[in-house]
Amino acid sequence: MTQVKLLGELGEKFGTDWTSGHKSLREILKLIDCQVDGFREYLAESHENNVQFTVQNGEDFMDDDLNEMALSNLKDTVIITPVPAGSGKGIKKLIAGLLLLAAIFFM
């Protein structure tokens, strides 16, 4: 099982703790989208408002490469955190909301 943590405003709106039997980010995002209204729209609005996301897979941050997101075997804990653009001190790997949307629909 994969434990998914949604932090910040993302967690406030859609719940902070999720559990999934899936080991792909795409399936996890689809699971959340199917369970709560407005998740996909929130990601799209976040992208328009220059809010990006970090995706932490265990101890590692995922690159903004869709292939890595599609092929990555997720570890036991995944943490998704919204990060306003320009506040990325110390955070090297940011994934735009549009890439998360793409992960849901195009992989």
Side-chain angles (χ1 to χ4, degrees), residues 18 29-37 39:
W18 292 83
L29 294 174
K30 284 177 65 174
L31 166 81
I32 296 170
D33 185 46
C34 289
Q35 297 292 320
V36 293
D37 292 330
F39 184 70

Side-chain angles (χ1 to χ4, degrees), residues 51-64:
V51 175
Q52 299 172 326
F53 297 86
T54 60
V55 178
Q56 186 176 347
N57 183 15
E59 296 294 319
D60 304 317
F61 285 91
M62 295 179 75
D63 288 324
D64 58 351

Side-chain angles (χ1 to χ4, degrees), residues 27-89:
E27 294 300 321
I28 289 171
L29 294 174
K30 284 177 65 174
L31 166 81
I32 296 170
D33 185 46
C34 289
Q35 297 292 320
V36 293
D37 292 330
F39 184 70
R40 184 181 326 158
E41 292 81 7
Y42 173 82
L43 294 177
E45 287 174 15
S46 295
H47 174 69
E48 291 172 6
N49 293 327
N50 292 321
V51 175
Q52 299 172 326
F53 297 86
T54 60
V55 178
Q56 186 176 347
N57 183 15
E59 296 294 319
D60 304 317
F61 285 91
M62 295 179 75
D63 288 324
D64 58 351
D65 179 2
L66 285 177
N67 289 327
E68 179 189 355
M69 289 175 26
L71 300 175
S72 185
N73 188 21
L74 298 177
K75 298 177 182 169
D76 291 335
T77 303
V78 173
I79 302 169
I80 303 174
T81 308
V83 180
S87 67
K89 287 187 176 179

